[in-house]
Amino acid sequence: MKNILQKLVILSSYFCTFQASAQVNFTEIDGSLLHTQYHPNPNSSFKGTIIFQNGTGSSFEAWSANKTFFECIKQLGNLFMYNRSGLGKSSPDFSVSSANPITAELVNLKLIQLLERNRIKSPYILVSHSYGGLYAGYFARKYPDSVAGMLMVDPVPSNFLYSDQIQKDFEIALTAMGEMTSKEAYKLYGISRQSKNNGITADGFYQLKGFHKTMEQVAELPLMSNTFPIIIISSTEMRIKKPIKGNWHSLQKQWLNQNPNSTILRAHGGHFIQFEQPKLVCEQLTQLVKMATRESKPNR
C-alpha cells in the first residue's frame, strides 16, 4: 500500500509539472510567424492572464532572462509573452515599409488576433517596458473592459518628443534604409546585426517612422479608464540620459488615471529595472494581481 501511495504522489507531481509547463507556439498573423510562450498557473487565484509587452528591439527575454524575476512572476498567474514581428524568433512583417510603418494600431491588431487564436483568457494585466508602454497604453484605452491593471516599467510618456540626438540618429538611419524594401532592411539591419550597425535596426527604424502616427492613434482614443489601477516604475538613470525632451519622470505621469490605487514610484538605476531590481518589479505586479483578484470576487 505504501508503494502504491508513493507512486501516486510521483504521478501527481509529474502531472502538475506537465500542466504548468510552457506552451510554445508560432502563430501566423498577416504573413508573419509570431513566437509566443504561455505559462499556465492553474493554482493562481487570478484567473485572467498577465500579458507582457517588450520595448524597442527587445525579445520577451527582457522578462524571462532574469531568473529571480521570472520565477517570481510565474507564481502570480497565467503568463503570456510574445515577440512582435522581426524580434526574437518572430519573423519580420515584410508588408511594413516607410509608407506603412509600425504603429500602435498595427501592433495591437496583431496582438488581438494572437490572443483570440491562442484562447488567452481575460481579464488582462498588462506589463510593459519602455516603448512597449505606448502599445500597452493603446490597448488599455481601446479595450478597457478587458483590462484589470497595468504595470509600466520605465515607459515612454504617452505624448513626447525625442531628443535632438535621437532625431539625428534617425536621419542617419533614414539615409541608410529609407529607399530599401523591408526585406532588404531586415536582412541588413536585423536585431542580430545591431552591434555591427551602431545600434540601428530595421525594427527601430520602422517604429520611429510610425512614431507620429502612433502619437495620433493614442490621442484619438478615449482617456484612460479609472476602473483599473496603473503602477509606473520610473528609473533615475533616464533623467541623466535624456532620450526625450522634457522631464522623463514628470512626463511619465501622463499615463496615470484617477484610480485610487494608481501610483508612480522611482527606482534607482538603469532602464531595465526588471533586471536590476527584479524583486521590486515583482512586488508591484503582486499588488496588481491581488487587487485584480479582489475585484473579480463576487460580493457576499
mmCIF file of all heavy atoms in Angstrom, residues 251-286:
data_model
loop_
_atom_site.group_PDB
_atom_site.id
_atom_site.type_symbol
_atom_site.label_atom_id
_atom_site.label_comp_id
_atom_site.label_asym_id
_atom_site.label_seq_id
_atom_site.Cartn_x
_atom_site.Cartn_y
_atom_site.Cartn_z
ATOM 1 N N LEU A 251 6.821 63.527 -17.134
ATOM 2 C CA LEU A 251 6.014 63.222 -18.320
ATOM 3 C C LEU A 251 5.423 61.817 -18.275
ATOM 4 O O LEU A 251 4.367 61.573 -18.860
ATOM 5 C CB LEU A 251 6.850 63.402 -19.588
ATOM 6 C CG LEU A 251 7.236 64.843 -19.935
ATOM 7 C CD1 LEU A 251 8.155 64.886 -21.148
ATOM 8 C CD2 LEU A 251 5.981 65.684 -20.188
ATOM 9 N N GLN A 252 6.078 60.899 -17.578
ATOM 10 C CA GLN A 252 5.530 59.545 -17.450
ATOM 11 C C GLN A 252 4.179 59.552 -16.733
ATOM 12 O O GLN A 252 3.353 58.655 -16.937
ATOM 13 C CB GLN A 252 6.510 58.642 -16.700
ATOM 14 C CG GLN A 252 7.716 58.207 -17.519
ATOM 15 C CD GLN A 252 8.698 57.400 -16.693
ATOM 16 O OE1 GLN A 252 8.972 57.724 -15.533
ATOM 17 N NE2 GLN A 252 9.235 56.352 -17.282
ATOM 18 N N LYS A 253 3.943 60.551 -15.915
ATOM 19 C CA LYS A 253 2.690 60.635 -15.164
ATOM 20 C C LYS A 253 1.480 60.807 -16.082
ATOM 21 O O LYS A 253 0.334 60.671 -15.631
ATOM 22 C CB LYS A 253 2.749 61.790 -14.166
ATOM 23 C CG LYS A 253 3.801 61.604 -13.080
ATOM 24 C CD LYS A 253 3.861 62.817 -12.161
ATOM 25 C CE LYS A 253 4.969 62.682 -11.130
ATOM 26 N NZ LYS A 253 5.062 63.882 -10.256
ATOM 27 N N GLN A 254 1.729 61.119 -17.351
ATOM 28 C CA GLN A 254 0.625 61.231 -18.314
ATOM 29 C C GLN A 254 -0.211 59.951 -18.361
ATOM 30 O O GLN A 254 -1.394 59.993 -18.688
ATOM 31 C CB GLN A 254 1.174 61.521 -19.711
ATOM 32 C CG GLN A 254 1.862 62.854 -19.880
ATOM 33 C CD GLN A 254 2.577 62.961 -21.215
ATOM 34 O OE1 GLN A 254 2.695 61.999 -21.970
ATOM 35 N NE2 GLN A 254 3.080 64.148 -21.526
ATOM 36 N N TRP A 255 0.427 58.808 -18.067
ATOM 37 C CA TRP A 255 -0.289 57.531 -18.149
ATOM 38 C C TRP A 255 -1.227 57.296 -16.967
ATOM 39 O O TRP A 255 -2.148 56.478 -17.052
ATOM 40 C CB TRP A 255 0.705 56.379 -18.221
ATOM 41 C CG TRP A 255 1.416 56.238 -19.519
ATOM 42 C CD1 TRP A 255 2.755 56.337 -19.744
ATOM 43 C CD2 TRP A 255 0.824 55.956 -20.803
ATOM 44 N NE1 TRP A 255 3.048 56.133 -21.073
ATOM 45 C CE2 TRP A 255 1.875 55.900 -21.746
ATOM 46 C CE3 TRP A 255 -0.481 55.751 -21.242
ATOM 47 C CZ2 TRP A 255 1.650 55.641 -23.096
ATOM 48 C CZ3 TRP A 255 -0.707 55.500 -22.588
ATOM 49 C CH2 TRP A 255 0.346 55.448 -23.497
ATOM 50 N N LEU A 256 -1.018 57.975 -15.856
ATOM 51 C CA LEU A 256 -1.817 57.710 -14.661
ATOM 52 C C LEU A 256 -3.275 58.111 -14.855
ATOM 53 O O LEU A 256 -3.579 59.115 -15.500
ATOM 54 C CB LEU A 256 -1.233 58.450 -13.461
ATOM 55 C CG LEU A 256 0.138 57.967 -12.965
ATOM 56 C CD1 LEU A 256 0.631 58.864 -11.843
ATOM 57 C CD2 LEU A 256 0.064 56.514 -12.502
ATOM 58 N N ASN A 257 -4.161 57.322 -14.279
ATOM 59 C CA ASN A 257 -5.585 57.655 -14.276
ATOM 60 C C ASN A 257 -5.983 58.086 -12.864
ATOM 61 O O ASN A 257 -5.126 58.329 -12.018
ATOM 62 C CB ASN A 257 -6.420 56.464 -14.762
ATOM 63 C CG ASN A 257 -6.161 55.199 -13.936
ATOM 64 O OD1 ASN A 257 -5.526 55.237 -12.879
ATOM 65 N ND2 ASN A 257 -6.651 54.067 -14.415
ATOM 66 N N GLN A 258 -7.283 58.161 -12.608
ATOM 67 C CA GLN A 258 -7.767 58.632 -11.308
ATOM 68 C C GLN A 258 -8.112 57.492 -10.362
ATOM 69 O O GLN A 258 -8.722 57.722 -9.314
ATOM 70 C CB GLN A 258 -9.003 59.520 -11.513
ATOM 71 C CG GLN A 258 -8.739 60.772 -12.325
ATOM 72 C CD GLN A 258 -7.678 61.655 -11.700
ATOM 73 O OE1 GLN A 258 -7.739 61.960 -10.502
ATOM 74 N NE2 GLN A 258 -6.695 62.074 -12.489
ATOM 75 N N ASN A 259 -7.722 56.273 -10.715
ATOM 76 C CA ASN A 259 -7.954 55.157 -9.797
ATOM 77 C C ASN A 259 -7.166 55.394 -8.500
ATOM 78 O O ASN A 259 -5.996 55.793 -8.551
ATOM 79 C CB ASN A 259 -7.495 53.850 -10.452
ATOM 80 C CG ASN A 259 -7.856 52.625 -9.627
ATOM 81 O OD1 ASN A 259 -7.248 52.342 -8.619
ATOM 82 N ND2 ASN A 259 -8.858 51.893 -10.087
ATOM 83 N N PRO A 260 -7.783 55.195 -7.335
ATOM 84 C CA PRO A 260 -7.103 55.495 -6.065
ATOM 85 C C PRO A 260 -5.838 54.672 -5.818
ATOM 86 O O PRO A 260 -5.001 55.056 -4.995
ATOM 87 C CB PRO A 260 -8.174 55.196 -5.000
ATOM 88 C CG PRO A 260 -9.157 54.294 -5.692
ATOM 89 C CD PRO A 260 -9.165 54.721 -7.120
ATOM 90 N N ASN A 261 -5.697 53.561 -6.521
ATOM 91 C CA ASN A 261 -4.528 52.702 -6.339
ATOM 92 C C ASN A 261 -3.439 52.941 -7.389
ATOM 93 O O ASN A 261 -2.408 52.253 -7.384
ATOM 94 C CB ASN A 261 -4.941 51.229 -6.362
ATOM 95 C CG ASN A 261 -5.800 50.849 -5.177
ATOM 96 O OD1 ASN A 261 -5.444 51.102 -4.032
ATOM 97 N ND2 ASN A 261 -6.964 50.274 -5.435
ATOM 98 N N SER A 262 -3.659 53.890 -8.281
ATOM 99 C CA SER A 262 -2.653 54.207 -9.288
ATOM 100 C C SER A 262 -1.546 55.050 -8.675
ATOM 101 O O SER A 262 -1.810 55.949 -7.875
ATOM 102 C CB SER A 262 -3.286 54.954 -10.466
ATOM 103 O OG SER A 262 -4.161 54.102 -11.182
ATOM 104 N N THR A 263 -0.313 54.763 -9.074
ATOM 105 C CA THR A 263 0.818 55.484 -8.486
ATOM 106 C C THR A 263 2.053 55.382 -9.378
ATOM 107 O O THR A 263 2.115 54.538 -10.267
ATOM 108 C CB THR A 263 1.151 54.914 -7.078
ATOM 109 O OG1 THR A 263 2.124 55.722 -6.456
ATOM 110 C CG2 THR A 263 1.690 53.489 -7.180
ATOM 111 N N ILE A 264 3.025 56.260 -9.125
ATOM 112 C CA ILE A 264 4.311 56.200 -9.795
ATOM 113 C C ILE A 264 5.393 56.222 -8.725
ATOM 114 O O ILE A 264 5.288 56.954 -7.744
ATOM 115 C CB ILE A 264 4.500 57.368 -10.783
ATOM 116 C CG1 ILE A 264 5.845 57.259 -11.521
ATOM 117 C CG2 ILE A 264 4.352 58.707 -10.111
ATOM 118 C CD1 ILE A 264 5.985 58.248 -12.679
ATOM 119 N N LEU A 265 6.406 55.379 -8.881
ATOM 120 C CA LEU A 265 7.495 55.343 -7.916
ATOM 121 C C LEU A 265 8.833 55.308 -8.636
ATOM 122 O O LEU A 265 8.919 54.885 -9.780
ATOM 123 C CB LEU A 265 7.356 54.143 -6.980
ATOM 124 C CG LEU A 265 7.224 52.763 -7.633
ATOM 125 C CD1 LEU A 265 8.424 51.909 -7.285
ATOM 126 C CD2 LEU A 265 5.943 52.081 -7.153
ATOM 127 N N ARG A 266 9.856 55.786 -7.965
ATOM 128 C CA ARG A 266 11.189 55.851 -8.554
ATOM 129 C C ARG A 266 11.994 54.606 -8.187
ATOM 130 O O ARG A 266 11.871 54.080 -7.078
ATOM 131 C CB ARG A 266 11.930 57.088 -8.063
ATOM 132 C CG ARG A 266 11.389 58.405 -8.571
ATOM 133 C CD ARG A 266 12.250 59.534 -8.034
ATOM 134 N NE ARG A 266 11.716 60.846 -8.339
ATOM 135 C CZ ARG A 266 11.980 61.544 -9.433
ATOM 136 N NH1 ARG A 266 12.768 61.016 -10.358
ATOM 137 N NH2 ARG A 266 11.475 62.741 -9.627
ATOM 138 N N ALA A 267 12.821 54.182 -9.137
ATOM 139 C CA ALA A 267 13.753 53.081 -8.888
ATOM 140 C C ALA A 267 15.147 53.565 -9.259
ATOM 141 O O ALA A 267 15.368 53.988 -10.400
ATOM 142 C CB ALA A 267 13.372 51.857 -9.715
ATOM 143 N N HIS A 268 16.064 53.528 -8.334
ATOM 144 C CA HIS A 268 17.422 53.987 -8.603
ATOM 145 C C HIS A 268 18.134 52.980 -9.508
ATOM 146 O O HIS A 268 18.164 51.790 -9.229
ATOM 147 C CB HIS A 268 18.192 54.171 -7.297
ATOM 148 C CG HIS A 268 17.699 55.318 -6.478
ATOM 149 N ND1 HIS A 268 18.061 56.622 -6.738
ATOM 150 C CD2 HIS A 268 16.823 55.361 -5.437
ATOM 151 C CE1 HIS A 268 17.462 57.427 -5.875
ATOM 152 N NE2 HIS A 268 16.708 56.688 -5.078
ATOM 153 N N GLY A 269 18.660 53.489 -10.600
ATOM 154 C CA GLY A 269 19.381 52.603 -11.513
ATOM 155 C C GLY A 269 18.963 52.791 -12.950
ATOM 156 O O GLY A 269 18.432 53.838 -13.331
ATOM 157 N N GLY A 270 19.214 51.741 -13.753
ATOM 158 C CA GLY A 270 19.041 51.814 -15.194
ATOM 159 C C GLY A 270 17.643 51.537 -15.701
ATOM 160 O O GLY A 270 16.698 51.314 -14.933
ATOM 161 N N HIS A 271 17.548 51.521 -17.013
ATOM 162 C CA HIS A 271 16.276 51.433 -17.726
ATOM 163 C C HIS A 271 15.608 50.067 -17.581
ATOM 164 O O HIS A 271 14.389 49.978 -17.500
ATOM 165 C CB HIS A 271 16.545 51.749 -19.196
ATOM 166 C CG HIS A 271 15.331 51.919 -20.042
ATOM 167 N ND1 HIS A 271 14.235 52.661 -19.656
ATOM 168 C CD2 HIS A 271 15.028 51.438 -21.289
ATOM 169 C CE1 HIS A 271 13.312 52.640 -20.619
ATOM 170 N NE2 HIS A 271 13.772 51.904 -21.608
ATOM 171 N N PHE A 272 16.414 48.990 -17.540
ATOM 172 C CA PHE A 272 15.852 47.646 -17.407
ATOM 173 C C PHE A 272 15.717 47.311 -15.919
ATOM 174 O O PHE A 272 16.477 46.531 -15.358
ATOM 175 C CB PHE A 272 16.731 46.617 -18.130
ATOM 176 C CG PHE A 272 16.535 46.607 -19.619
ATOM 177 C CD1 PHE A 272 17.153 47.555 -20.425
ATOM 178 C CD2 PHE A 272 15.708 45.673 -20.230
ATOM 179 C CE1 PHE A 272 16.974 47.560 -21.799
ATOM 180 C CE2 PHE A 272 15.510 45.668 -21.601
ATOM 181 C CZ PHE A 272 16.145 46.616 -22.390
ATOM 182 N N ILE A 273 14.720 47.892 -15.308
ATOM 183 C CA ILE A 273 14.526 47.757 -13.863
ATOM 184 C C ILE A 273 14.247 46.307 -13.475
ATOM 185 O O ILE A 273 14.645 45.855 -12.399
ATOM 186 C CB ILE A 273 13.379 48.674 -13.392
ATOM 187 C CG1 ILE A 273 13.636 50.113 -13.840
ATOM 188 C CG2 ILE A 273 13.232 48.625 -11.878
ATOM 189 C CD1 ILE A 273 12.457 51.046 -13.622
ATOM 190 N N GLN A 274 13.589 45.563 -14.352
ATOM 191 C CA GLN A 274 13.280 44.161 -14.056
ATOM 192 C C GLN A 274 14.537 43.310 -13.940
ATOM 193 O O GLN A 274 14.505 42.232 -13.336
ATOM 194 C CB GLN A 274 12.317 43.576 -15.095
ATOM 195 C CG GLN A 274 12.869 43.447 -16.508
ATOM 196 C CD GLN A 274 12.621 44.672 -17.354
ATOM 197 O OE1 GLN A 274 12.700 45.792 -16.866
ATOM 198 N NE2 GLN A 274 12.303 44.469 -18.627
ATOM 199 N N PHE A 275 15.657 43.761 -14.496
ATOM 200 C CA PHE A 275 16.949 43.076 -14.344
ATOM 201 C C PHE A 275 17.669 43.522 -13.081
ATOM 202 O O PHE A 275 18.219 42.707 -12.347
ATOM 203 C CB PHE A 275 17.857 43.349 -15.552
ATOM 204 C CG PHE A 275 17.455 42.634 -16.814
ATOM 205 C CD1 PHE A 275 18.082 42.928 -18.006
ATOM 206 C CD2 PHE A 275 16.446 41.682 -16.826
ATOM 207 C CE1 PHE A 275 17.727 42.283 -19.184
ATOM 208 C CE2 PHE A 275 16.073 41.024 -17.985
ATOM 209 C CZ PHE A 275 16.716 41.326 -19.174
ATOM 210 N N GLU A 276 17.669 44.817 -12.839
ATOM 211 C CA GLU A 276 18.431 45.376 -11.724
ATOM 212 C C GLU A 276 17.711 45.237 -10.386
ATOM 213 O O GLU A 276 18.339 45.053 -9.350
ATOM 214 C CB GLU A 276 18.752 46.841 -11.991
ATOM 215 C CG GLU A 276 19.661 47.060 -13.196
ATOM 216 C CD GLU A 276 20.055 48.523 -13.362
ATOM 217 O OE1 GLU A 276 19.931 49.298 -12.397
ATOM 218 O OE2 GLU A 276 20.497 48.883 -14.464
ATOM 219 N N GLN A 277 16.385 45.357 -10.425
ATOM 220 C CA GLN A 277 15.604 45.256 -9.192
ATOM 221 C C GLN A 277 14.400 44.340 -9.414
ATOM 222 O O GLN A 277 13.246 44.776 -9.350
ATOM 223 C CB GLN A 277 15.154 46.636 -8.720
ATOM 224 C CG GLN A 277 16.305 47.586 -8.429
ATOM 225 C CD GLN A 277 15.854 48.842 -7.721
ATOM 226 O OE1 GLN A 277 15.183 48.793 -6.688
ATOM 227 N NE2 GLN A 277 16.225 49.988 -8.271
ATOM 228 N N PRO A 278 14.659 43.055 -9.676
ATOM 229 C CA PRO A 278 13.564 42.127 -10.010
ATOM 230 C C PRO A 278 12.531 41.971 -8.899
ATOM 231 O O PRO A 278 11.338 41.840 -9.179
ATOM 232 C CB PRO A 278 14.300 40.803 -10.272
ATOM 233 C CG PRO A 278 15.613 40.934 -9.573
ATOM 234 C CD PRO A 278 15.976 42.385 -9.684
ATOM 235 N N LYS A 279 12.985 42.012 -7.652
ATOM 236 C CA LYS A 279 12.042 41.844 -6.543
ATOM 237 C C LYS A 279 11.078 43.016 -6.449
ATOM 238 O O LYS A 279 9.889 42.836 -6.160
ATOM 239 C CB LYS A 279 12.802 41.659 -5.233
ATOM 240 C CG LYS A 279 13.555 40.332 -5.152
ATOM 241 C CD LYS A 279 14.247 40.159 -3.806
ATOM 242 C CE LYS A 279 14.975 38.824 -3.734
ATOM 243 N NZ LYS A 279 15.680 38.647 -2.422
ATOM 244 N N LEU A 280 11.590 44.208 -6.686
ATOM 245 C CA LEU A 280 10.741 45.402 -6.647
ATOM 246 C C LEU A 280 9.635 45.313 -7.705
ATOM 247 O O LEU A 280 8.457 45.563 -7.420
ATOM 248 C CB LEU A 280 11.576 46.654 -6.887
ATOM 249 C CG LEU A 280 10.793 47.962 -7.122
ATOM 250 C CD1 LEU A 280 10.025 48.350 -5.876
ATOM 251 C CD2 LEU A 280 11.714 49.084 -7.566
ATOM 252 N N VAL A 281 10.016 44.963 -8.921
ATOM 253 C CA VAL A 281 9.039 44.881 -10.011
ATOM 254 C C VAL A 281 8.028 43.782 -9.730
ATOM 255 O O VAL A 281 6.819 43.958 -9.929
ATOM 256 C CB VAL A 281 9.740 44.650 -11.363
ATOM 257 C CG1 VAL A 281 8.707 44.579 -12.491
ATOM 258 C CG2 VAL A 281 10.740 45.774 -11.651
ATOM 259 N N CYS A 282 8.498 42.638 -9.246
ATOM 260 C CA CYS A 282 7.579 41.536 -8.941
ATOM 261 C C CYS A 282 6.634 41.894 -7.795
ATOM 262 O O CYS A 282 5.455 41.535 -7.814
ATOM 263 C CB CYS A 282 8.364 40.267 -8.603
ATOM 264 S SG CYS A 282 7.313 38.797 -8.486
ATOM 265 N N GLU A 283 7.138 42.629 -6.815
ATOM 266 C CA GLU A 283 6.281 43.065 -5.701
ATOM 267 C C GLU A 283 5.134 43.945 -6.197
ATOM 268 O O GLU A 283 3.989 43.815 -5.739
ATOM 269 C CB GLU A 283 7.115 43.836 -4.673
ATOM 270 C CG GLU A 283 8.011 42.958 -3.813
ATOM 271 C CD GLU A 283 8.985 43.775 -2.983
ATOM 272 O OE1 GLU A 283 8.944 45.033 -3.081
ATOM 273 O OE2 GLU A 283 9.798 43.173 -2.257
ATOM 274 N N GLN A 284 5.435 44.846 -7.123
ATOM 275 C CA GLN A 284 4.390 45.729 -7.646
ATOM 276 C C GLN A 284 3.373 44.949 -8.471
ATOM 277 O O GLN A 284 2.169 45.215 -8.419
ATOM 278 C CB GLN A 284 5.020 46.850 -8.478
ATOM 279 C CG GLN A 284 5.934 47.768 -7.681
ATOM 280 C CD GLN A 284 5.254 48.349 -6.446
ATOM 281 O OE1 GLN A 284 4.142 48.850 -6.519
ATOM 282 N NE2 GLN A 284 5.923 48.262 -5.302
ATOM 283 N N LEU A 285 3.862 43.969 -9.229
ATOM 284 C CA LEU A 285 2.945 43.125 -10.002
ATOM 285 C C LEU A 285 2.093 42.280 -9.059
ATOM 286 O O LEU A 285 0.902 42.065 -9.318
ATOM 287 C CB LEU A 285 3.739 42.234 -10.956
ATOM 288 C CG LEU A 285 2.917 41.341 -11.893
ATOM 289 C CD1 LEU A 285 1.902 42.154 -12.694
ATOM 290 C CD2 LEU A 285 3.843 40.558 -12.838
ATOM 291 N N THR A 286 2.681 41.835 -7.980
ATOM 292 C CA THR A 286 1.926 41.071 -6.975
ATOM 293 C C THR A 286 0.769 41.894 -6.431
ATOM 294 O O THR A 286 -0.352 41.383 -6.260
ATOM 295 C CB THR A 286 2.847 40.644 -5.814
ATOM 296 O OG1 THR A 286 3.923 39.844 -6.330
ATOM 297 C CG2 THR A 286 2.083 39.840 -4.777
#
